[in-house]
């Protein structure tokens, strides 16, 4: 059996886990109400259509 040349290599010195330890927070967009669209049916410019900031 041959080794796969496209297989990723694992760096034993690579850090594991979240180095900062702060969980990301998302807030509901106050301009579109988390829908991602404005009152005209266009993409919300404030959150770029994501619905959160």
């Amino acid at each position: 059996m041959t080794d796969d040349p496209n297989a990723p290599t694992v760096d034993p010195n690579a850090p594991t886990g979240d180095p900062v330890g702060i969980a990301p927070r998302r807030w509901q967009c106050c301009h579109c109400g988390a829908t991602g669209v404005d009152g005209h049916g266009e993409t919300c410019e404030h959150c770029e259509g994501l619905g959160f900031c």
Side-chain angles (χ1 to χ4, degrees):
M1 194 153 119
T2 61
D3 290 333
D4 181 9
N6 297 323
T9 57
V10 178
D11 182 5
N13 297 321
T16 59
D18 187 13
V20 178
I22 300 172
R25 295 184 180 182
R26 295 180 180 172
W27 285 273
Q28 177 178 331
C29 179
C30 59
H31 293 265
C32 69
T35 62
V37 295
D38 62 11
H40 301 288
E42 301 292 327
T43 301
C44 177
E45 294 180 7
H46 186 260
C47 68
E48 298 178 344
L50 296 174
F52 57 87
C53 300

